[in-house]
Amino acid sequence: MNPVVHIYPSKTEAASAFAQTLSEQIAAKEGHFHLALSGGSTPKLLFTLLAENYRNEIPWGKVHLWWGDERCVPPEHEESNYRMTKEFLLFSINIPQGNIHRVRGEDRPDREAIRYEEEIKAHLESKDGWPVFDMIMLGMGGDGHTASIFPDNLSLLDSPQTCAVAIHPDSGQKRVTLTGKVINQAKEVAFLVTGASKKEKVQAILGKEEGSKAYPAAHIQPVEGNLSWYLDEAAAP
Ligand code: 6PG
């Protein structure tokens, strides 16, 4: 199924539209809503909007928060995706602590990848042997990576594991990441990508241009779920 591409004049409008869609999907789901968050800087605007405008509109007690990837650093580290999420969102919403499933970045990466996979499988329903997220939110790096699946390690797209250890190609920083198959098992996958620096890769991927399969984000195609891109005009083809 082709992705649904939403383009907005500004990153604020793109993030606002994503927030509203997220609110509607959470409302529509009976029972728990398992949401995997992306990291980096783009989500900060989304989290701010959720904290300001959806504190009471979203029934956070039914939402379980997971991370699509996490840097292997302590939770108070400035590069921790959990710390960023706490500062921009968690401090502002009333969500049970038990619904927050952080990757323990302070622990040994290989052991944590196994532990996190076990925690995911203990909470989520499965289909064809894969845990099924209600929604996985993704960003995209300027090199076309997504989650922490980088262009130099496309094998993570076909890993038999739900979680794996990745290594940032420039910094050498270890990450724990969801892998390609579990991402593609999700009911909803939504990219939130903004800024001119992403335009070239977005254009190559959405245009299915020659060579675009070198970019991990080009391999995100849910098996049965829906794929959406939320873009600002700066990042749009
Ligand atoms: C991370 C992310 C990563 C991110 C992209 C885009 O931990 O860094 O999960 O996949 O989404 O690198 O990052 P920006 O939003 O900072 O451009």
Side-chain angles (χ1 to χ4, degrees):
M1 186 189 310
N2 287 328
V4 179
V5 180
H6 308 270
I7 301 172
Y8 299 89
S10 69
K11 62 182 180 180
T12 300
E13 288 161 291
S16 297
F18 184 92
Q20 181 56 31
T21 296
L22 181 60
S23 176
E24 291 166 2
Q25 293 199 0
I26 292 169
K29 172 80 187 299
E30 287 294 314
H32 297 305
F33 189 94
H34 291 283
L35 167 62
L37 301 173
S38 64
S41 59
T42 301
K44 292 177 181 177
L45 181 52
L46 170 70
F47 294 166
T48 300
L49 292 168
L50 288 173
E52 289 174 353
N53 305 328
Y54 293 87
R55 186 173 312 180
N56 302 313
E57 282 67 24
I58 288 178
W60 293 102
K62 68 188 268 191
V63 180
H64 283 253
L65 296 178
W66 305 83
W67 277 262
D69 66 325
E70 179 61 277
R71 292 80 180 276
C72 293
V73 295
E76 67 279 2
H77 191 283
E78 63 178 5
E79 292 188 34
S80 165
N81 286 332
Y82 167 73
R83 173 181 163 176
M84 181 272 289
T85 309
K86 194 167 63 170
E87 289 175 358
F88 284 82
L89 178 61
L90 301 184
F91 281 148
S92 302
I93 60 173
N94 184 19
I95 184 168
Q97 194 57 36
N99 289 26
I100 301 169
H101 307 274
R102 73 176 182 91
V103 177
R104 296 178 55 81
E106 66 275 28
D107 289 350
R108 231 179 78 167
D110 55 343
R111 289 179 181 162
E112 177 56 14
I114 293 167
R115 188 204 66 79
Y116 203 58
E117 175 165 337
E118 289 170 352
E119 184 173 0
I120 291 170
K121 289 181 173 177
H123 284 81
L124 275 62
E125 294 176 3
S126 290
K127 182 172 173 59
D128 298 333
W130 294 98
V132 178
F133 282 90
D134 293 294
M135 177 182 281
I136 297 179
M137 168 191 171
L138 295 172
M140 187 192 73
D143 61 355
H145 82 258
T146 192
S148 281
I149 305 173
F150 295 98
D152 68 347
N153 194 357
L154 294 179
S155 65
L156 291 179
L157 293 164
D158 299 309
S159 169
Q161 298 337 109
T162 290
C163 299
V165 177
I167 299 176
H168 192 287
D170 299 329
S171 67
Q173 184 185 64
K174 289 191 174 178
R175 311 275 186 91
V176 172
T177 186
L178 293 183
T179 56
K181 287 191 179 294
V182 66
I183 293 172
N184 283 330
Q185 281 294 336
K187 294 175 182 173
E188 299 283 341
V189 180
F191 281 96
L192 176 61
V193 179
T194 59
S197 66
K198 312 292 177 72
K199 185 187 186 77
E200 179 206 351
K201 298 297 190 295
V202 168
Q203 185 157 322
I205 291 167
L206 293 182
K208 295 185 170 54
E209 294 177 3
E210 187 179 348
S212 61
K213 285 302 186 185
Y215 313 136
H219 295 262
I220 302 306
Q221 182 54 60
V223 175
E224 293 184 1
N226 302 310
L227 176 61
S228 304
W229 287 75
Y230 288 80
L231 305 169
D232 64 358
E233 284 174 357

